[in-house]
Every structure is written in structure tokens, then in C-alpha cells.
Amino acid sequence: ADLTRQLLAFSRREMIRPAIIDLTRLIQELLPMLRRLIEHPVEIVEATAPATSAILGDRSQVEQIILNLVLNARDAMPNGGRVTVRTTDVTFDGDSREAGLHGPHVLLEVSDTGVGMDAETRRRAFEPFFTTKGVGQGTGLGLATVYGIVQQMNGLIEIDSEPNRGCAFRVYLPHADRVVSPLDESTSLVWGHEQVLLVEDDDALRTYLAHVLECHGYRVIAAEGPEAALALTESLQEPLQLVISDVVMPGMSGPDLVAELHQS
């Protein structure tokens, strides 16, 4: 079940249910389960701030971030050690070194006293299916999933580690007050009238995306796959203004489909 959730999150097909989350409270609720998973000789230390600000996110995805980082820390300490989970509020100004981060954020830090990482491992740590574990001991999706979720939440994750000196993962997530709700009346919506080709082999996702686009004025031609898309476009009376396509589909990839449409 955990692997399935990781695959869904990584492919961004998981249904997102954003809500206001008290990160410190969530960690405290997860600690009993985490301690059962970790067990002796690895110790979990909580260093969460009691008044840490809230974030806006999907609870299950934030739980995945915490769980994957803690399990990764455990695996880095085969002979035992200590995992520290810390939260605090941070504010970035124009001179901050974290590129693209501005204003108030919540920091989640998971550190360990394990074997650490060399420069090459740090460089590839978030690469899908990259793992330093033996065959059958890891999927290489844990940190890639964390990275994808953090990016989706407009946050930043960084690694501080050296061989034999432990490792610290720092996740910066925007303060909930900085996140604009899509239902905010002050948010200007985009409207259009252009003809759009939508190609998606997931029926529910295709139906939902077509509905959203049509509600904003676009004329949508929906196809369940590349072959259907090519057949539908042969009889068009006017050119397409946009193609929105899944990347991985049976028979032909999204980029290959677009290239063929350009040639036709």
C-alpha cells in the first residue's frame, strides 16, 4: 500500500485534499507509530516548537514526507543511533540564500547520526529509483516522492551531510497565510475560447480536466489515447491552439504525439 501511494504521488495522479495542518501536532500524532517502526537501537527525539505556524497541504502527503525521511534516517544507522525531528518558523528576506523563497515558512528538519552521504550520493539522492541499498531492500522512490511533494507545495528541500558525520534533511514549506486559496474572490480566473486537445488515458482525470477547461470557456476535444487523438484531429475544421497530454500512455508517449501532430 505504501509503495502504491508513493507511485501515485510521484506520478501526481493522487487526489490532493489540501487543508490547514498544524505540523507540530501532526508529528506528535505520528510519533507512536514511528517509534514502533524504528524500534531499538535507533532512538527518535522530538524537538518540535510548540507554536509552529500552520501549513496548507494534503495530510497524507505531509505524512509521507515525515515517514520517508524518518525511515531513510533509520536505514542510514544499521548499528543504531538517533533521529531528531525538529520544526521551527523561519522568515526569508531578499538576501536569503534559499533561491526563490520569500517571507514566512515552516521548517521541518529530520537529522540522523548515521553514515552520511558523499557528494555523488547527495547529488542523486532525489533521483527516482536511485538507491544505495541492496537488491530487495529499497525501491529508490522514497526521497523522490518527498522531493515531488515538496515541489508541489512550492517548498524547498536541501541536504546537509558528509560521510560518517550524519545527515540532515531540511524541508521549507510556505506558511499557510501565504498560500492563496483558489476560491479567493480576489484571484482573477483565466478565461478563453480556444480549441484544446486533451489526451489522457485515465477516464476520471480526463473527464475532470475537460470539465474544468469547458467551465472556463475553452472548446475541448477529449481523447483517451494517442490513436484516438490522431483520428479526431484528422477531421478538424480549424487548427488546435493547445495540446494537453499525458506523458506516458500505451502505444505512444505524449511528446511523440505532439511531434506527429506538428507534422500533420
Side-chain angles (χ1 to χ4, degrees), residues 37-73:
L37 284 173
I38 300 301
E39 297 182 340
H40 187 74
V42 174
E43 175 191 12
I44 298 183
V45 177
E46 177 196 356
T48 55
T52 301
S53 301
I55 60 174
L56 180 66
D58 180 275
R59 180 186 172 99
S60 66
Q61 288 197 332
V62 178
E63 288 176 347
Q64 281 190 62
I65 292 176
I66 299 167
L67 178 62
N68 281 329
L69 290 180
V70 170
L71 292 180
N72 187 78

Side-chain angles (χ1 to χ4, degrees), residues 156-169:
L156 173 74
I157 183 168
E158 60 180 19
I159 306 172
D160 182 8
S161 182
E162 296 292 341
N164 302 314
R165 296 182 59 183
C167 179
F169 284 89

Side-chain angles (χ1 to χ4, degrees), residues 160-224:
D160 182 8
S161 182
E162 296 292 341
N164 302 314
R165 296 182 59 183
C167 179
F169 284 89
R170 300 188 183 100
V171 178
Y172 299 93
L173 298 172
H175 187 297
D177 290 346
R178 296 190 62 249
V179 182
V180 179
S181 167
L183 300 180
D184 191 326
E185 293 181 357
S186 65
T187 303
S188 58
L189 298 178
V190 176
W191 295 87
H193 61 277
E194 292 84 359
Q195 185 165 250
V196 177
L197 173 63
L198 171 64
V199 189
E200 169 58 59
D201 57 349
D202 184 294
D203 293 340
L205 185 56
R206 184 177 65 255
T207 300
Y208 173 72
L209 290 174
H211 173 72
V212 171
L213 289 167
E214 289 169 348
C215 285
H216 287 76
Y218 296 95
R219 291 171 292 132
V220 179
I221 301 171
E224 68 272 16

Side-chain angles (χ1 to χ4, degrees), residues 10-242:
F10 182 70
S11 66
R12 296 194 177 185
R13 293 193 178 202
E14 188 177 47
M15 184 66 71
I16 307 301
R17 299 179 178 86
I20 300 297
I21 298 172
D22 182 331
L23 186 57
T24 293
R25 182 176 178 180
L26 176 58
I27 290 171
Q28 291 170 344
E29 292 175 354
L30 287 176
L31 278 175
M33 180 194 71
L34 292 174
R35 288 194 170 106
R36 287 196 300 270
L37 284 173
I38 300 301
E39 297 182 340
H40 187 74
V42 174
E43 175 191 12
I44 298 183
V45 177
E46 177 196 356
T48 55
T52 301
S53 301
I55 60 174
L56 180 66
D58 180 275
R59 180 186 172 99
S60 66
Q61 288 197 332
V62 178
E63 288 176 347
Q64 281 190 62
I65 292 176
I66 299 167
L67 178 62
N68 281 329
L69 290 180
V70 170
L71 292 180
N72 187 78
R74 178 202 63 183
D75 294 342
M77 298 180 291
N79 299 318
R82 184 176 65 256
V83 180
T84 303
V85 182
R86 183 171 72 95
T87 60
T88 188
D89 288 331
V90 293
T91 300
F92 298 102
D93 55 29
D95 298 327
S96 297
R97 64 186 176 86
E98 283 76 12
L101 297 188
H102 304 283
H105 283 67
V106 177
L107 166 64
L108 164 67
E109 181 181 271
V110 178
S111 59
D112 63 64
T113 58
V115 297
M117 300 183 187
D118 58 23
E120 177 66 10
T121 303
R122 290 197 306 271
R123 185 182 68 82
R124 301 186 62 189
F126 302 119
E127 184 179 308
F129 306 109
F130 171 74
T131 180
T132 58
K133 302 171 187 175
V135 177
Q137 296 179 354
T139 63
L141 282 174
L143 292 180
T145 299
V146 170
Y147 181 84
I149 295 172
V150 172
Q151 290 292 305
Q152 203 170 37
M153 296 177 68
N154 296 316
L156 173 74
I157 183 168
E158 60 180 19
I159 306 172
D160 182 8
S161 182
E162 296 292 341
N164 302 314
R165 296 182 59 183
C167 179
F169 284 89
R170 300 188 183 100
V171 178
Y172 299 93
L173 298 172
H175 187 297
D177 290 346
R178 296 190 62 249
V179 182
V180 179
S181 167
L183 300 180
D184 191 326
E185 293 181 357
S186 65
T187 303
S188 58
L189 298 178
V190 176
W191 295 87
H193 61 277
E194 292 84 359
Q195 185 165 250
V196 177
L197 173 63
L198 171 64
V199 189
E200 169 58 59
D201 57 349
D202 184 294
D203 293 340
L205 185 56
R206 184 177 65 255
T207 300
Y208 173 72
L209 290 174
H211 173 72
V212 171
L213 289 167
E214 289 169 348
C215 285
H216 287 76
Y218 296 95
R219 291 171 292 132
V220 179
I221 301 171
E224 68 272 16
E227 291 186 5
L230 292 172
L232 288 170
T233 55
E234 286 180 356
S235 58
L236 290 181
Q237 300 300 313
E238 58 180 280
L240 294 166
Q241 277 73 47
L242 179 68

